Amino acid sequence: MRRPAVTLISIAALLLLGGCSSPPPKVDPALQFIDQTQLPPADVSLAIPGLGPCTDNPDRTLRLASGEPVTVLVHGCFSSSGRFRALAQVLAFHGQQTACFTYNDRDKLALSAGLLKASLDQLAQKTQNKHIALIGHSQGALIARKAMVDDEKVGRAAKLRLVTVSGPFAGIAAAKTCGNPVLRTLSLGIVGAICQAVTGDKWSDITDASPFIQVPGKLDGQVQDYLKIVTNESGSCRRANKGGCAESDDIFSVAEQRNRVVDSDPLVKIIEVKAGHVEIVGDTRVAPAKLIGILQENGIIRPTAPGRTDKLGQLLTTLYESD
């Protein structure tokens, strides 16, 4: 029985890779910059570990208007800051500046959350405006929320808004084998070794039995509100082929995104939307119209000025056909 069991474990562990977005595309030099025409002039240049422009430009210096709010975006695994370039450009179109958090997606999630917290602390200390909105997608949603729990303060005067999108707060179902202590013991360590090889150090954080999932913590008092966007991804398709679906966009079930402790927080507002896992944040085939609408309705993205709707449509067409 040992050999079939090990085979089953291997398959289950490999399925964990399905819980991430597609790898970022090859970097096009033309996509390493954001049009800042609508942004207020930058008056500070900041070198903050982990934070940089929402592009894959190797220059990670943040150039910001210190008196304006900042929206910080946190990508999921198999991704990068450049993954959010188009969304950052949409924010820039509305006069809102952004930064992106970059991390090693094989590290423990608690470690990445600690690094994010430290980065936000520096950002709050080095800017005059202390309003920071934090948006995390997928694995980035877990990291973003964990950075906001009340074990430490983020920049003593910071005023924080939290948005999570498609986060598996109940743990990743495909990781259940990795979280089974009996199987880990009976396999003489093979289960843990396989899970470690596939996902890195974070494997013990993403199971439904992990302390990271079971004890998510209470949000810090500096968090003013929390918008949790749950995606109903059933039947969604990332890439069609000859009338069928060549690649599913159904990554996390609604049940995987629900967590009693997280969902019962008095600050949380939960919105469930029918959208695929990558579709919700946009890719090269579709603009994230649903996400933009939700963020505008909830004051995260400013309303589109009268007379600029057509220009926004043109921008979305350009961004999501060229990225």
Side-chain angles (χ1 to χ4, degrees), residues 67-105:
E68 293 291 320
V70 182
T71 299
V72 177
L73 306 173
V74 187
H75 64 77
C77 58
F78 286 165
S79 196
S80 68
S81 293
R83 177 71 179 79
F84 279 132
R85 172 189 171 271
L87 186 57
Q89 188 64 71
V90 171
L91 281 153
F93 177 87
H94 293 89
Q96 295 171 258
Q97 56 190 0
T98 57
C100 272
F101 177 64
T102 302
Y103 62 98
N104 183 340
D105 67 14

PDB file of all heavy atoms in Angstrom, residues 67-105:
ATOM      1  N   GLY A  67       1.900  63.944   0.103  1.00  0.00           N
ATOM      2  CA  GLY A  67       0.673  64.403   0.737  1.00  0.00           C
ATOM      3  C   GLY A  67      -0.570  63.692   0.248  1.00  0.00           C
ATOM      4  O   GLY A  67      -1.688  64.039   0.660  1.00  0.00           O
ATOM      5  N   GLU A  68      -0.401  62.673  -0.601  1.00  0.00           N
ATOM      6  CA  GLU A  68      -1.533  61.950  -1.167  1.00  0.00           C
ATOM      7  C   GLU A  68      -1.593  60.516  -0.632  1.00  0.00           C
ATOM      8  O   GLU A  68      -0.568  59.936  -0.264  1.00  0.00           O
ATOM      9  CB  GLU A  68      -1.416  61.903  -2.692  1.00  0.00           C
ATOM     10  CG  GLU A  68      -1.548  63.254  -3.372  1.00  0.00           C
ATOM     11  CD  GLU A  68      -2.952  63.818  -3.267  1.00  0.00           C
ATOM     12  OE1 GLU A  68      -3.927  63.029  -3.402  1.00  0.00           O
ATOM     13  OE2 GLU A  68      -3.086  65.028  -3.050  1.00  0.00           O
ATOM     14  N   PRO A  69      -2.805  59.909  -0.575  1.00  0.00           N
ATOM     15  CA  PRO A  69      -2.920  58.505  -0.154  1.00  0.00           C
ATOM     16  C   PRO A  69      -2.191  57.585  -1.126  1.00  0.00           C
ATOM     17  O   PRO A  69      -1.912  57.954  -2.269  1.00  0.00           O
ATOM     18  CB  PRO A  69      -4.436  58.250  -0.190  1.00  0.00           C
ATOM     19  CG  PRO A  69      -5.070  59.605  -0.212  1.00  0.00           C
ATOM     20  CD  PRO A  69      -4.099  60.509  -0.904  1.00  0.00           C
ATOM     21  N   VAL A  70      -1.914  56.379  -0.669  1.00  0.00           N
ATOM     22  CA  VAL A  70      -1.256  55.363  -1.501  1.00  0.00           C
ATOM     23  C   VAL A  70      -2.062  54.071  -1.440  1.00  0.00           C
ATOM     24  O   VAL A  70      -2.516  53.671  -0.360  1.00  0.00           O
ATOM     25  CB  VAL A  70       0.191  55.092  -1.036  1.00  0.00           C
ATOM     26  CG1 VAL A  70       0.859  54.057  -1.948  1.00  0.00           C
ATOM     27  CG2 VAL A  70       1.003  56.381  -1.005  1.00  0.00           C
ATOM     28  N   THR A  71      -2.236  53.442  -2.584  1.00  0.00           N
ATOM     29  CA  THR A  71      -2.844  52.112  -2.630  1.00  0.00           C
ATOM     30  C   THR A  71      -1.737  51.100  -2.869  1.00  0.00           C
ATOM     31  O   THR A  71      -0.995  51.206  -3.848  1.00  0.00           O
ATOM     32  CB  THR A  71      -3.890  52.012  -3.759  1.00  0.00           C
ATOM     33  OG1 THR A  71      -4.939  52.966  -3.510  1.00  0.00           O
ATOM     34  CG2 THR A  71      -4.488  50.605  -3.812  1.00  0.00           C
ATOM     35  N   VAL A  72      -1.611  50.123  -1.979  1.00  0.00           N
ATOM     36  CA  VAL A  72      -0.571  49.094  -2.084  1.00  0.00           C
ATOM     37  C   VAL A  72      -1.221  47.794  -2.539  1.00  0.00           C
ATOM     38  O   VAL A  72      -2.195  47.319  -1.954  1.00  0.00           O
ATOM     39  CB  VAL A  72       0.134  48.889  -0.725  1.00  0.00           C
ATOM     40  CG1 VAL A  72       1.158  47.755  -0.833  1.00  0.00           C
ATOM     41  CG2 VAL A  72       0.818  50.179  -0.279  1.00  0.00           C
ATOM     42  N   LEU A  73      -0.681  47.211  -3.610  1.00  0.00           N
ATOM     43  CA  LEU A  73      -1.208  45.976  -4.190  1.00  0.00           C
ATOM     44  C   LEU A  73      -0.280  44.810  -3.863  1.00  0.00           C
ATOM     45  O   LEU A  73       0.953  44.951  -3.926  1.00  0.00           O
ATOM     46  CB  LEU A  73      -1.348  46.133  -5.701  1.00  0.00           C
ATOM     47  CG  LEU A  73      -2.171  47.350  -6.185  1.00  0.00           C
ATOM     48  CD1 LEU A  73      -2.096  47.483  -7.687  1.00  0.00           C
ATOM     49  CD2 LEU A  73      -3.609  47.235  -5.725  1.00  0.00           C
ATOM     50  N   VAL A  74      -0.880  43.656  -3.535  1.00  0.00           N
ATOM     51  CA  VAL A  74      -0.110  42.465  -3.167  1.00  0.00           C
ATOM     52  C   VAL A  74      -0.519  41.318  -4.082  1.00  0.00           C
ATOM     53  O   VAL A  74      -1.672  40.875  -4.057  1.00  0.00           O
ATOM     54  CB  VAL A  74      -0.343  42.071  -1.694  1.00  0.00           C
ATOM     55  CG1 VAL A  74       0.592  40.932  -1.295  1.00  0.00           C
ATOM     56  CG2 VAL A  74      -0.150  43.269  -0.767  1.00  0.00           C
ATOM     57  N   HIS A  75       0.414  40.842  -4.886  1.00  0.00           N
ATOM     58  CA  HIS A  75       0.130  39.787  -5.862  1.00  0.00           C
ATOM     59  C   HIS A  75       0.061  38.406  -5.213  1.00  0.00           C
ATOM     60  O   HIS A  75       0.478  38.205  -4.075  1.00  0.00           O
ATOM     61  CB  HIS A  75       1.179  39.797  -6.972  1.00  0.00           C
ATOM     62  CG  HIS A  75       2.579  39.483  -6.489  1.00  0.00           C
ATOM     63  ND1 HIS A  75       2.997  38.204  -6.188  1.00  0.00           N
ATOM     64  CD2 HIS A  75       3.657  40.279  -6.271  1.00  0.00           C
ATOM     65  CE1 HIS A  75       4.258  38.224  -5.799  1.00  0.00           C
ATOM     66  NE2 HIS A  75       4.682  39.476  -5.830  1.00  0.00           N
ATOM     67  N   GLY A  76      -0.447  37.446  -5.972  1.00  0.00           N
ATOM     68  CA  GLY A  76      -0.478  36.059  -5.525  1.00  0.00           C
ATOM     69  C   GLY A  76       0.794  35.335  -5.934  1.00  0.00           C
ATOM     70  O   GLY A  76       1.783  35.953  -6.341  1.00  0.00           O
ATOM     71  N   CYS A  77       0.778  33.996  -5.819  1.00  0.00           N
ATOM     72  CA  CYS A  77       1.984  33.252  -6.177  1.00  0.00           C
ATOM     73  C   CYS A  77       2.107  33.104  -7.693  1.00  0.00           C
ATOM     74  O   CYS A  77       1.149  33.292  -8.440  1.00  0.00           O
ATOM     75  CB  CYS A  77       2.009  31.889  -5.492  1.00  0.00           C
ATOM     76  SG  CYS A  77       0.615  30.823  -5.834  1.00  0.00           S
ATOM     77  N   PHE A  78       3.329  32.762  -8.143  1.00  0.00           N
ATOM     78  CA  PHE A  78       3.659  32.697  -9.572  1.00  0.00           C
ATOM     79  C   PHE A  78       3.380  34.030 -10.248  1.00  0.00           C
ATOM     80  O   PHE A  78       2.913  34.080 -11.379  1.00  0.00           O
ATOM     81  CB  PHE A  78       2.850  31.612 -10.287  1.00  0.00           C
ATOM     82  CG  PHE A  78       3.287  30.212  -9.991  1.00  0.00           C
ATOM     83  CD1 PHE A  78       2.463  29.150 -10.317  1.00  0.00           C
ATOM     84  CD2 PHE A  78       4.482  29.947  -9.373  1.00  0.00           C
ATOM     85  CE1 PHE A  78       2.844  27.848 -10.044  1.00  0.00           C
ATOM     86  CE2 PHE A  78       4.879  28.665  -9.091  1.00  0.00           C
ATOM     87  CZ  PHE A  78       4.055  27.607  -9.432  1.00  0.00           C
ATOM     88  N   SER A  79       3.620  35.135  -9.545  1.00  0.00           N
ATOM     89  CA  SER A  79       3.282  36.433 -10.104  1.00  0.00           C
ATOM     90  C   SER A  79       4.358  37.442  -9.736  1.00  0.00           C
ATOM     91  O   SER A  79       5.427  37.076  -9.262  1.00  0.00           O
ATOM     92  CB  SER A  79       1.901  36.870  -9.599  1.00  0.00           C
ATOM     93  OG  SER A  79       1.386  37.915 -10.379  1.00  0.00           O
ATOM     94  N   SER A  80       4.058  38.721  -9.959  1.00  0.00           N
ATOM     95  CA  SER A  80       5.048  39.765  -9.719  1.00  0.00           C
ATOM     96  C   SER A  80       4.339  41.100  -9.639  1.00  0.00           C
ATOM     97  O   SER A  80       3.124  41.202  -9.876  1.00  0.00           O
ATOM     98  CB  SER A  80       6.070  39.794 -10.857  1.00  0.00           C
ATOM     99  OG  SER A  80       5.441  40.247 -12.064  1.00  0.00           O
ATOM    100  N   SER A  81       5.085  42.159  -9.319  1.00  0.00           N
ATOM    101  CA  SER A  81       4.510  43.500  -9.278  1.00  0.00           C
ATOM    102  C   SER A  81       3.925  43.896 -10.630  1.00  0.00           C
ATOM    103  O   SER A  81       2.890  44.563 -10.710  1.00  0.00           O
ATOM    104  CB  SER A  81       5.587  44.517  -8.864  1.00  0.00           C
ATOM    105  OG  SER A  81       5.999  44.312  -7.536  1.00  0.00           O
ATOM    106  N   GLY A  82       4.590  43.472 -11.705  1.00  0.00           N
ATOM    107  CA  GLY A  82       4.117  43.808 -13.037  1.00  0.00           C
ATOM    108  C   GLY A  82       2.752  43.236 -13.350  1.00  0.00           C
ATOM    109  O   GLY A  82       2.059  43.715 -14.255  1.00  0.00           O
ATOM    110  N   ARG A  83       2.346  42.223 -12.591  1.00  0.00           N
ATOM    111  CA  ARG A  83       1.023  41.614 -12.788  1.00  0.00           C
ATOM    112  C   ARG A  83      -0.078  42.645 -12.579  1.00  0.00           C
ATOM    113  O   ARG A  83      -1.163  42.542 -13.148  1.00  0.00           O
ATOM    114  CB  ARG A  83       0.863  40.452 -11.802  1.00  0.00           C
ATOM    115  CG  ARG A  83      -0.485  39.756 -11.835  1.00  0.00           C
ATOM    116  CD  ARG A  83      -0.610  38.947 -13.119  1.00  0.00           C
ATOM    117  NE  ARG A  83      -1.879  38.248 -13.168  1.00  0.00           N
ATOM    118  CZ  ARG A  83      -3.039  38.824 -13.501  1.00  0.00           C
ATOM    119  NH1 ARG A  83      -3.077  40.102 -13.788  1.00  0.00           N
ATOM    120  NH2 ARG A  83      -4.142  38.116 -13.534  1.00  0.00           N
ATOM    121  N   PHE A  84       0.213  43.662 -11.753  1.00  0.00           N
ATOM    122  CA  PHE A  84      -0.788  44.667 -11.431  1.00  0.00           C
ATOM    123  C   PHE A  84      -0.537  46.002 -12.130  1.00  0.00           C
ATOM    124  O   PHE A  84      -1.137  47.014 -11.770  1.00  0.00           O
ATOM    125  CB  PHE A  84      -0.838  44.890  -9.922  1.00  0.00           C
ATOM    126  CG  PHE A  84      -1.641  43.857  -9.182  1.00  0.00           C
ATOM    127  CD1 PHE A  84      -1.122  43.241  -8.048  1.00  0.00           C
ATOM    128  CD2 PHE A  84      -2.909  43.513  -9.598  1.00  0.00           C
ATOM    129  CE1 PHE A  84      -1.862  42.294  -7.362  1.00  0.00           C
ATOM    130  CE2 PHE A  84      -3.665  42.570  -8.915  1.00  0.00           C
ATOM    131  CZ  PHE A  84      -3.140  41.956  -7.791  1.00  0.00           C
ATOM    132  N   ARG A  85       0.339  45.989 -13.137  1.00  0.00           N
ATOM    133  CA  ARG A  85       0.622  47.258 -13.825  1.00  0.00           C
ATOM    134  C   ARG A  85      -0.645  47.872 -14.406  1.00  0.00           C
ATOM    135  O   ARG A  85      -0.901  49.078 -14.253  1.00  0.00           O
ATOM    136  CB  ARG A  85       1.641  47.052 -14.947  1.00  0.00           C
ATOM    137  CG  ARG A  85       1.821  48.313 -15.804  1.00  0.00           C
ATOM    138  CD  ARG A  85       2.660  48.055 -17.037  1.00  0.00           C
ATOM    139  NE  ARG A  85       2.619  49.210 -17.926  1.00  0.00           N
ATOM    140  CZ  ARG A  85       1.717  49.395 -18.881  1.00  0.00           C
ATOM    141  NH1 ARG A  85       0.765  48.500 -19.076  1.00  0.00           N
ATOM    142  NH2 ARG A  85       1.739  50.477 -19.642  1.00  0.00           N
ATOM    143  N   ALA A  86      -1.461  47.056 -15.054  1.00  0.00           N
ATOM    144  CA  ALA A  86      -2.656  47.589 -15.702  1.00  0.00           C
ATOM    145  C   ALA A  86      -3.636  48.159 -14.679  1.00  0.00           C
ATOM    146  O   ALA A  86      -4.194  49.245 -14.879  1.00  0.00           O
ATOM    147  CB  ALA A  86      -3.333  46.498 -16.530  1.00  0.00           C
ATOM    148  N   LEU A  87      -3.830  47.458 -13.565  1.00  0.00           N
ATOM    149  CA  LEU A  87      -4.734  47.967 -12.536  1.00  0.00           C
ATOM    150  C   LEU A  87      -4.170  49.247 -11.912  1.00  0.00           C
ATOM    151  O   LEU A  87      -4.910  50.191 -11.618  1.00  0.00           O
ATOM    152  CB  LEU A  87      -4.965  46.910 -11.462  1.00  0.00           C
ATOM    153  CG  LEU A  87      -5.995  47.247 -10.381  1.00  0.00           C
ATOM    154  CD1 LEU A  87      -7.349  47.573 -11.004  1.00  0.00           C
ATOM    155  CD2 LEU A  87      -6.132  46.100  -9.392  1.00  0.00           C
ATOM    156  N   ALA A  88      -2.846  49.282 -11.731  1.00  0.00           N
ATOM    157  CA  ALA A  88      -2.217  50.497 -11.215  1.00  0.00           C
ATOM    158  C   ALA A  88      -2.424  51.659 -12.194  1.00  0.00           C
ATOM    159  O   ALA A  88      -2.599  52.813 -11.779  1.00  0.00           O
ATOM    160  CB  ALA A  88      -0.725  50.256 -10.986  1.00  0.00           C
ATOM    161  N   GLN A  89      -2.419  51.356 -13.493  1.00  0.00           N
ATOM    162  CA  GLN A  89      -2.647  52.402 -14.489  1.00  0.00           C
ATOM    163  C   GLN A  89      -4.088  52.912 -14.420  1.00  0.00           C
ATOM    164  O   GLN A  89      -4.350  54.107 -14.620  1.00  0.00           O
ATOM    165  CB  GLN A  89      -2.350  51.875 -15.893  1.00  0.00           C
ATOM    166  CG  GLN A  89      -2.380  52.937 -16.975  1.00  0.00           C
ATOM    167  CD  GLN A  89      -1.291  53.988 -16.796  1.00  0.00           C
ATOM    168  OE1 GLN A  89      -0.123  53.717 -17.001  1.00  0.00           O
ATOM    169  NE2 GLN A  89      -1.681  55.190 -16.392  1.00  0.00           N
ATOM    170  N   VAL A  90      -5.034  52.005 -14.132  1.00  0.00           N
ATOM    171  CA  VAL A  90      -6.429  52.424 -13.951  1.00  0.00           C
ATOM    172  C   VAL A  90      -6.546  53.369 -12.756  1.00  0.00           C
ATOM    173  O   VAL A  90      -7.238  54.385 -12.814  1.00  0.00           O
ATOM    174  CB  VAL A  90      -7.343  51.194 -13.756  1.00  0.00           C
ATOM    175  CG1 VAL A  90      -8.754  51.623 -13.348  1.00  0.00           C
ATOM    176  CG2 VAL A  90      -7.404  50.360 -15.034  1.00  0.00           C
ATOM    177  N   LEU A  91      -5.857  53.043 -11.678  1.00  0.00           N
ATOM    178  CA  LEU A  91      -5.856  53.923 -10.511  1.00  0.00           C
ATOM    179  C   LEU A  91      -5.210  55.272 -10.852  1.00  0.00           C
ATOM    180  O   LEU A  91      -5.705  56.330 -10.454  1.00  0.00           O
ATOM    181  CB  LEU A  91      -5.122  53.244  -9.355  1.00  0.00           C
ATOM    182  CG  LEU A  91      -5.948  52.195  -8.601  1.00  0.00           C
ATOM    183  CD1 LEU A  91      -5.043  51.139  -7.977  1.00  0.00           C
ATOM    184  CD2 LEU A  91      -6.803  52.845  -7.523  1.00  0.00           C
ATOM    185  N   ALA A  92      -4.115  55.225 -11.594  1.00  0.00           N
ATOM    186  CA  ALA A  92      -3.444  56.463 -11.992  1.00  0.00           C
ATOM    187  C   ALA A  92      -4.361  57.329 -12.856  1.00  0.00           C
ATOM    188  O   ALA A  92      -4.354  58.561 -12.761  1.00  0.00           O
ATOM    189  CB  ALA A  92      -2.151  56.139 -12.740  1.00  0.00           C
ATOM    190  N   PHE A  93      -5.152  56.704 -13.704  1.00  0.00           N
ATOM    191  CA  PHE A  93      -6.136  57.412 -14.540  1.00  0.00           C
ATOM    192  C   PHE A  93      -7.094  58.216 -13.664  1.00  0.00           C
ATOM    193  O   PHE A  93      -7.578  59.279 -14.054  1.00  0.00           O
ATOM    194  CB  PHE A  93      -6.907  56.400 -15.387  1.00  0.00           C
ATOM    195  CG  PHE A  93      -8.004  56.979 -16.237  1.00  0.00           C
ATOM    196  CD1 PHE A  93      -7.734  57.465 -17.511  1.00  0.00           C
ATOM    197  CD2 PHE A  93      -9.313  57.027 -15.763  1.00  0.00           C
ATOM    198  CE1 PHE A  93      -8.753  57.995 -18.299  1.00  0.00           C
ATOM    199  CE2 PHE A  93     -10.334  57.559 -16.546  1.00  0.00           C
ATOM    200  CZ  PHE A  93     -10.057  58.042 -17.809  1.00  0.00           C
ATOM    201  N   HIS A  94      -7.368  57.691 -12.464  1.00  0.00           N
ATOM    202  CA  HIS A  94      -8.269  58.359 -11.524  1.00  0.00           C
ATOM    203  C   HIS A  94      -7.506  59.214 -10.512  1.00  0.00           C
ATOM    204  O   HIS A  94      -8.063  59.634  -9.489  1.00  0.00           O
ATOM    205  CB  HIS A  94      -9.122  57.322 -10.805  1.00  0.00           C
ATOM    206  CG  HIS A  94     -10.101  56.618 -11.697  1.00  0.00           C
ATOM    207  ND1 HIS A  94      -9.789  55.468 -12.393  1.00  0.00           N
ATOM    208  CD2 HIS A  94     -11.381  56.926 -12.038  1.00  0.00           C
ATOM    209  CE1 HIS A  94     -10.839  55.093 -13.110  1.00  0.00           C
ATOM    210  NE2 HIS A  94     -11.814  55.951 -12.916  1.00  0.00           N
ATOM    211  N   GLY A  95      -6.222  59.467 -10.787  1.00  0.00           N
ATOM    212  CA  GLY A  95      -5.434  60.351  -9.945  1.00  0.00           C
ATOM    213  C   GLY A  95      -4.929  59.721  -8.667  1.00  0.00           C
ATOM    214  O   GLY A  95      -4.576  60.440  -7.721  1.00  0.00           O
ATOM    215  N   GLN A  96      -4.853  58.382  -8.616  1.00  0.00           N
ATOM    216  CA  GLN A  96      -4.456  57.690  -7.398  1.00  0.00           C
ATOM    217  C   GLN A  96      -3.129  56.962  -7.594  1.00  0.00           C
ATOM    218  O   GLN A  96      -2.960  56.192  -8.546  1.00  0.00           O
ATOM    219  CB  GLN A  96      -5.541  56.690  -6.977  1.00  0.00           C
ATOM    220  CG  GLN A  96      -6.848  57.364  -6.583  1.00  0.00           C
ATOM    221  CD  GLN A  96      -7.982  56.374  -6.391  1.00  0.00           C
ATOM    222  OE1 GLN A  96      -8.843  56.229  -7.255  1.00  0.00           O
ATOM    223  NE2 GLN A  96      -7.972  55.680  -5.269  1.00  0.00           N
ATOM    224  N   GLN A  97      -2.197  57.183  -6.681  1.00  0.00           N
ATOM    225  CA  GLN A  97      -0.873  56.590  -6.790  1.00  0.00           C
ATOM    226  C   GLN A  97      -0.842  55.222  -6.099  1.00  0.00           C
ATOM    227  O   GLN A  97      -1.590  54.949  -5.159  1.00  0.00           O
ATOM    228  CB  GLN A  97       0.184  57.513  -6.208  1.00  0.00           C
ATOM    229  CG  GLN A  97      -0.041  57.925  -4.771  1.00  0.00           C
ATOM    230  CD  GLN A  97       0.910  59.033  -4.335  1.00  0.00           C
ATOM    231  OE1 GLN A  97       1.757  59.520  -5.101  1.00  0.00           O
ATOM    232  NE2 GLN A  97       0.799  59.455  -3.089  1.00  0.00           N
ATOM    233  N   THR A  98       0.050  54.378  -6.601  1.00  0.00           N
ATOM    234  CA  THR A  98       0.134  53.003  -6.119  1.00  0.00           C
ATOM    235  C   THR A  98       1.573  52.603  -5.804  1.00  0.00           C
ATOM    236  O   THR A  98       2.538  53.243  -6.224  1.00  0.00           O
ATOM    237  CB  THR A  98      -0.405  52.017  -7.176  1.00  0.00           C
ATOM    238  OG1 THR A  98       0.339  52.198  -8.398  1.00  0.00           O
ATOM    239  CG2 THR A  98      -1.883  52.222  -7.430  1.00  0.00           C
ATOM    240  N   ALA A  99       1.671  51.511  -5.080  1.00  0.00           N
ATOM    241  CA  ALA A  99       2.939  50.808  -4.871  1.00  0.00           C
ATOM    242  C   ALA A  99       2.598  49.330  -4.866  1.00  0.00           C
ATOM    243  O   ALA A  99       1.459  48.942  -4.588  1.00  0.00           O
ATOM    244  CB  ALA A  99       3.590  51.214  -3.551  1.00  0.00           C
ATOM    245  N   CYS A 100       3.559  48.489  -5.188  1.00  0.00           N
ATOM    246  CA  CYS A 100       3.333  47.043  -5.167  1.00  0.00           C
ATOM    247  C   CYS A 100       4.335  46.374  -4.236  1.00  0.00           C
ATOM    248  O   CYS A 100       5.511  46.750  -4.193  1.00  0.00           O
ATOM    249  CB  CYS A 100       3.461  46.454  -6.573  1.00  0.00           C
ATOM    250  SG  CYS A 100       1.902  46.488  -7.511  1.00  0.00           S
ATOM    251  N   PHE A 101       3.844  45.378  -3.502  1.00  0.00           N
ATOM    252  CA  PHE A 101       4.686  44.616  -2.595  1.00  0.00           C
ATOM    253  C   PHE A 101       5.166  43.356  -3.305  1.00  0.00           C
ATOM    254  O   PHE A 101       4.371  42.600  -3.873  1.00  0.00           O
ATOM    255  CB  PHE A 101       3.907  44.231  -1.341  1.00  0.00           C
ATOM    256  CG  PHE A 101       4.680  43.382  -0.370  1.00  0.00           C
ATOM    257  CD1 PHE A 101       5.807  43.876   0.269  1.00  0.00           C
ATOM    258  CD2 PHE A 101       4.281  42.081  -0.091  1.00  0.00           C
ATOM    259  CE1 PHE A 101       6.530  43.094   1.176  1.00  0.00           C
ATOM    260  CE2 PHE A 101       4.989  41.287   0.810  1.00  0.00           C
ATOM    261  CZ  PHE A 101       6.114  41.802   1.447  1.00  0.00           C
ATOM    262  N   THR A 102       6.476  43.150  -3.287  1.00  0.00           N
ATOM    263  CA  THR A 102       7.084  41.984  -3.908  1.00  0.00           C
ATOM    264  C   THR A 102       7.687  41.088  -2.836  1.00  0.00           C
ATOM    265  O   THR A 102       8.322  41.582  -1.902  1.00  0.00           O
ATOM    266  CB  THR A 102       8.191  42.410  -4.899  1.00  0.00           C
ATOM    267  OG1 THR A 102       7.616  43.269  -5.895  1.00  0.00           O
ATOM    268  CG2 THR A 102       8.802  41.199  -5.592  1.00  0.00           C
ATOM    269  N   TYR A 103       7.471  39.796  -2.965  1.00  0.00           N
ATOM    270  CA  TYR A 103       7.945  38.861  -1.949  1.00  0.00           C
ATOM    271  C   TYR A 103       8.248  37.504  -2.597  1.00  0.00           C
ATOM    272  O   TYR A 103       7.852  37.244  -3.735  1.00  0.00           O
ATOM    273  CB  TYR A 103       6.894  38.692  -0.847  1.00  0.00           C
ATOM    274  CG  TYR A 103       5.578  38.116  -1.354  1.00  0.00           C
ATOM    275  CD1 TYR A 103       5.286  36.758  -1.220  1.00  0.00           C
ATOM    276  CD2 TYR A 103       4.624  38.932  -1.972  1.00  0.00           C
ATOM    277  CE1 TYR A 103       4.100  36.228  -1.692  1.00  0.00           C
ATOM    278  CE2 TYR A 103       3.433  38.401  -2.455  1.00  0.00           C
ATOM    279  CZ  TYR A 103       3.174  37.052  -2.306  1.00  0.00           C
ATOM    280  OH  TYR A 103       1.999  36.528  -2.781  1.00  0.00           O
ATOM    281  N   ASN A 104       8.941  36.655  -1.861  1.00  0.00           N
ATOM    282  CA  ASN A 104       9.223  35.303  -2.313  1.00  0.00           C
ATOM    283  C   ASN A 104       8.004  34.434  -2.011  1.00  0.00           C
ATOM    284  O   ASN A 104       7.680  34.203  -0.845  1.00  0.00           O
ATOM    285  CB  ASN A 104      10.454  34.754  -1.583  1.00  0.00           C
ATOM    286  CG  ASN A 104      10.858  33.372  -2.065  1.00  0.00           C
ATOM    287  OD1 ASN A 104      10.071  32.646  -2.672  1.00  0.00           O
ATOM    288  ND2 ASN A 104      12.089  32.984  -1.788  1.00  0.00           N
ATOM    289  N   ASP A 105       7.304  33.975  -3.049  1.00  0.00           N
ATOM    290  CA  ASP A 105       6.048  33.282  -2.802  1.00  0.00           C
ATOM    291  C   ASP A 105       6.224  31.850  -2.288  1.00  0.00           C
ATOM    292  O   ASP A 105       5.250  31.131  -2.097  1.00  0.00           O
ATOM    293  CB  ASP A 105       5.143  33.304  -4.040  1.00  0.00           C
ATOM    294  CG  ASP A 105       5.677  32.499  -5.204  1.00  0.00           C
ATOM    295  OD1 ASP A 105       6.605  31.694  -5.019  1.00  0.00           O
ATOM    296  OD2 ASP A 105       5.161  32.669  -6.321  1.00  0.00           O
TER     297      ASP A 105
END
